[in-house]
């Protein structure tokens, strides 16, 4: 090929690459919240939801609703996205990248102190679904949260709900927040590796990570908050955790879309209450079981008690969350939080009716 021909070809490739980049930029620009609630490509109203870990059992209703076809039945085109920690889902929501976040309800209180108003529109749970695990090596030294002092404790992310709950358990048991080290290790393989290598002495995580750790005999359960009873014992009341929360202004401007989302989720929660863990597990993507269907079904079974049947906020749940956060979070301790603005039952009541 002559030099001039090569230059022409390279120039053409450059133009093509520039066109592709421009198209990508245009695609990114079109995915902002301004386009939310509009009709998509014939599939229905487009909504983006960020989940704080799609494969975590505590957030199972998100993917299950899609797998059951309930979003489609409501005329919705829902795109489920995933981040490893709930705090990252929160960030995506407040920055306008997505219209909804599936994460812990406690973020609504924390955000209100920062003058950002979001609200839970459907409550998946009345218990955290979290488990405090300790490594085999540290099991003799950590027999309760009173022993957290000087320890490295894994959380999904700094500022995450696992971080919040770990700090509360420490403070409640006489250990200062500054007396232990929270370590962001995510969930799944990263959490397990940190536990096995001694990068953390213990940590807070959920299923299926818990089931895998116990199966590998890599650690032991210190505190189990997957049931309402476990939540009562550790936190002093029901602890509404996983939920769909959205920016209040967006909710008020897109009530029809929000109602359809809540309708779909309430159908799913009801479906879950009438089916076995094995039946639920069978509906999920095959890779969620990581090659061990029986272990995954057991993980679902262990976590099922945390879920509500109707999406309604549990009585006194918001007060328990506020009490927990006030124990260690100076922003909330010194602020007046209007709990009535952190959740709404408007949509679940209509969905039930």
């Amino acid at each position: 090929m002559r030099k001039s021909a090569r230059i022409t070809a390279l120039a053409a490739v450059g133009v093509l690459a520039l066109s592709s980049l421009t198209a990508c930029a245009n695609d990114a620009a079109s995915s902002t919240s301004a386009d939310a609630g509009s009709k998509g490509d014939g599939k229905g109203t487009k909504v983006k939801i960020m989940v704080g870990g799609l494969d975590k059992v505590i957030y199972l209703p998100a993917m299950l609703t899609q797998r059951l076809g309930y979003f489609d039945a409501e005329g919705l085109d829902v795109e489920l996205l995933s981040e490893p920690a709930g705090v990252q889902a929160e960030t995506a929501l407040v920055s306008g990248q997505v219209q909804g976040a599936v994460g812990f309800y406690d973020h609504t209180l924390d955000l209100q102190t920062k003058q950002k108003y979001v609200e839970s529109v459907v409550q998946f749970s009345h218990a955290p679904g979290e488990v405090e695990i300790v490594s085999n090596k540290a099991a003799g030294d950590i027999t309760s949260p009173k022993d957290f002092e000087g320890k490295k404790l894994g959380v999904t992310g700094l500022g995450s709900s696992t971080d919040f709950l770990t700090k509360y358990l420490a403070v409640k048991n006489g250990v200062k927040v500054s007396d232990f080290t929270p370590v962001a290790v995510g969930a799944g393989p990263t959490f397990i590796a940190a536990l096995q290598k001694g990068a953390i002495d213990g940590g807070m995580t959920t299923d299926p990570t818990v089931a895998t750790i116990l199966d590998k005999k890599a650690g032991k359960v210190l505190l189990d908050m997957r049931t309402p009873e476990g939540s009562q014992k550790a936190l002093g009341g029901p602890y509404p955790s996983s939920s769909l929360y959205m920016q209040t202004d967006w909710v008020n401007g897109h009530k029809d879309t929000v109602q359809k989302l809540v309708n779909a989720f309430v159908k799913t929660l009801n479906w879950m209450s009438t089916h076995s863990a094995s039946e639920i597990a069978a509906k999920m993507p095959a890779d969620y079981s990581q090659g061990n269907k029986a272990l995954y079904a057991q993980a679902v079974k262990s976590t099922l008690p945390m879920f509500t049947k109707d999406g309604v906020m549990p009585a006194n749940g918001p007060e328990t969350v506020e009490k927990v956060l006030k124990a260690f979070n100076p922003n909330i301790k010194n602020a007046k939080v209007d709990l009535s603005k952190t959740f709404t039952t408007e949509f679940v009541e209509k969905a039930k009716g």
Side-chain angles (χ1 to χ4, degrees):
M1 184 184 288
R2 293 200 309 267
K3 183 176 181 181
S4 59
R6 284 200 303 272
I7 293 172
T8 301
L10 288 170
V13 170
V15 169
L16 182 60
L18 183 59
S19 298
S20 298
L21 288 171
T22 303
C24 290
N26 289 339
D27 287 343
S30 69
S31 66
T32 62
S33 59
D35 287 327
S38 62
K39 291 292 181 181
D41 52 3
K43 296 179 182 177
T45 302
K46 178 75 175 180
V47 182
K48 289 185 178 182
I49 297 176
M50 184 67 77
V51 184
L54 257 177
D55 59 350
K56 294 178 185 176
V57 179
I58 56 170
Y59 299 140
L60 178 148
M63 179 57 74
L64 182 58
T65 302
Q66 190 171 77
R67 304 281 287 188
L68 290 171
Y70 291 158
F71 289 138
D72 289 343
E74 291 289 335
L76 298 171
D77 177 15
V78 174
E79 182 180 359
L80 296 173
L81 305 168
S82 186
E83 286 282 7
V87 66
Q88 292 159 321
E90 169 199 297
T91 301
L93 177 69
V94 297
S95 65
Q97 296 175 49
V98 295
Q99 292 74 57
V102 168
F104 269 39
Y105 160 73
D106 53 23
H107 291 294
T108 67
L109 281 73
D110 187 49
L111 285 168
Q112 193 181 118
T113 67
K114 301 168 184 173
Q115 306 304 309
K116 298 183 186 298
Y117 290 87
V118 302
E119 59 189 19
S120 166
V121 296
V122 56
Q123 194 62 46
F124 299 162
S125 61
H126 45 195
E130 301 283 352
V131 177
E132 185 70 27
I133 291 277
V134 293
S135 69
N136 291 331
K137 183 179 179 181
D141 296 328
I142 307 175
T143 58
S144 83
K146 292 179 181 178
D147 302 320
F148 282 177
E149 185 173 353
K151 300 299 189 291
K152 295 174 291 184
L153 301 175
V155 296
T156 52
L158 302 181
S160 67
S161 296
T162 51
D163 190 20
F164 290 165
L165 286 170
T166 302
K167 286 175 178 174
Y168 173 72
L169 291 173
V171 170
K172 181 188 176 188
N173 288 276
V175 179
K176 295 178 183 177
V177 170
S178 58
D179 287 343
F180 70 93
T181 305
V183 183
V185 291
T190 53
F191 185 101
I192 296 169
L195 194 71
Q196 291 177 317
K197 293 177 181 177
I200 56 174
D201 301 298
M204 191 172 291
T205 190
T206 60
D207 278 311
T209 306
V210 175
T212 303
I213 289 170
L214 297 180
D215 185 60
K216 289 176 176 288
K217 295 180 171 52
K220 299 176 181 178
V221 173
L222 181 69
L223 284 172
D224 192 339
M225 295 177 285
R226 290 176 289 189
T227 66
E229 295 78 17
S231 177
Q232 179 71 42
K233 184 177 179 180
L235 306 172
Y239 197 92
S241 55
S242 55
S243 65
L244 171 67
Y245 62 86
M246 313 179 87
Q247 295 201 60
T248 301
D249 285 346
W250 198 90
V251 171
N252 291 336
H254 301 80
K255 288 199 171 189
D256 183 56
T257 300
V258 176
Q259 187 63 62
K260 290 176 180 178
L261 284 167
V262 174
N263 290 346
F265 279 124
V266 170
K267 286 180 188 174
T268 297
L269 291 168
N270 183 260
W271 188 91
M272 289 170 62
S273 73
T274 57
H275 289 75
S276 69
S278 295
E279 290 172 321
I280 294 169
K283 289 288 184 181
M284 303 304 287
D287 61 334
Y288 281 22
S289 67
Q290 297 179 11
N292 192 331
K293 292 182 179 180
L295 187 64
Y296 181 67
Q298 180 57 49
V300 173
K301 184 178 181 179
S302 298
T303 304
L304 270 182
M306 73 173 280
F307 294 108
T308 66
K309 296 179 181 180
D310 53 13
V312 175
M313 175 66 74
N316 302 317
E319 288 79 8
T320 303
V321 172
E322 183 180 33
K323 178 197 73 175
V324 166
L325 297 183
K326 278 184 177 292
F328 67 87
N329 188 324
N331 292 334
I332 293 180
K333 187 175 184 177
N334 301 318
K336 181 168 175 56
V337 177
D338 186 345
L339 293 177
S340 69
K341 293 181 178 178
T342 61
F343 71 98
T344 177
T345 59
E346 173 187 350
F347 303 98
V348 289
E349 293 299 338
K350 287 181 181 177
K352 288 196 317 178

